[in-house]
Amino acid sequence: MLENVFSRKPEFEIVTMSADDCREMSELHGQRFARGWNDGEFVNLLLQQNTYGFVARQTNALLFKPSLAGFVLAREVAGEAEILTIAVQERLPRAGLGWRLMLAAMREAQARGGLSMFLEVDDGNGPALGLYRKLGFEIAGRRDSYYQDAEGRRSAALVMKRDLG
């Protein structure tokens, strides 16, 4: 019976992001991106009127306050929404969190009057590209040498778009 506690499939809830989440978001962003954003940058973005986000937390964790499993930060202005950043813990591949976070951001964009959503993704990020394509995003443009990794290698950003209507 004790083995069930340790092998239980994690369960998550997606909730509205708050400024209290920014420190953990900064830590996760720094783990997943070559140039992480600090908590002050997240707070400043979140305080902007048109910016919103969601966090994923494990609901069946053995901790008092479950750690941040993932988040998405977006904004909507004049009918156009944009994913500013999204990150999921590396230890949770293919758990469906990216999918659920993106759906939450897309629904909120629509509720705010968004007609389309844009995002940028590293052209070498196969898992993210697969997710975005499954969600109906299509390549709308390319920015060569946009990203730089920790070793200084540069890669292109693909600009992707999806209609929300």
Side-chain angles (χ1 to χ4, degrees):
M1 309 242 183
L2 188 57
E3 62 203 36
N4 290 339
V5 171
F6 295 110
S7 64
R8 181 181 295 169
K9 183 177 178 183
E11 298 171 8
F12 303 94
E13 68 176 345
I14 308 295
V15 297
T16 302
M17 180 183 291
S18 76
D20 292 339
D21 298 311
C22 290
R23 182 189 52 76
E24 285 181 287
M25 289 167 32
S26 174
E27 290 171 6
L28 177 54
H29 197 269
Q31 294 166 14
R32 303 299 286 163
F33 294 94
R35 195 248 177 267
W37 298 353
N38 66 46
D39 56 340
E41 290 172 295
F42 279 108
V43 169
N44 287 337
L45 284 166
L46 196 53
L47 291 175
Q48 295 175 13
Q49 181 179 358
N50 296 325
T51 303
Y52 61 94
F54 298 92
V55 296
R57 293 197 181 274
Q58 188 173 344
T59 57
N60 63 344
L62 297 174
L63 305 172
F64 289 106
K65 181 185 178 195
S67 65
L68 186 72
F71 69 89
V72 62
L73 185 64
R75 70 176 148 212
E76 186 282 327
V77 178
E80 288 190 355
E82 171 187 19
I83 298 295
L84 299 172
T85 190
I86 181 171
V88 173
Q89 289 282 352
E90 187 174 21
R91 64 181 170 75
L92 298 168
R94 307 194 64 78
L97 286 179
W99 178 269
R100 291 177 61 196
L101 288 163
M102 287 294 296
L103 289 178
M106 290 164 34
R107 279 193 299 270
E108 181 65 20
Q110 282 182 299
R112 291 170 176 246
L115 302 173
S116 60
M117 179 169 269
F118 292 85
L119 58 83
E120 292 175 352
V121 60
D122 189 312
D123 69 347
N125 189 341
L129 284 167
L131 169 65
Y132 301 144
R133 285 185 178 122
K134 285 180 187 174
L135 286 166
F137 284 83
E138 296 179 354
I139 296 172
R142 179 183 178 95
R143 295 184 173 134
D144 290 325
S145 298
Y146 187 78
Y147 294 113
Q148 183 173 341
D149 68 13
E151 286 81 40
R153 292 181 301 252
R154 301 198 70 81
S155 58
L158 299 177
V159 178
M160 300 186 83
K161 177 186 178 186
R162 181 188 191 276
D163 290 333
L164 297 175

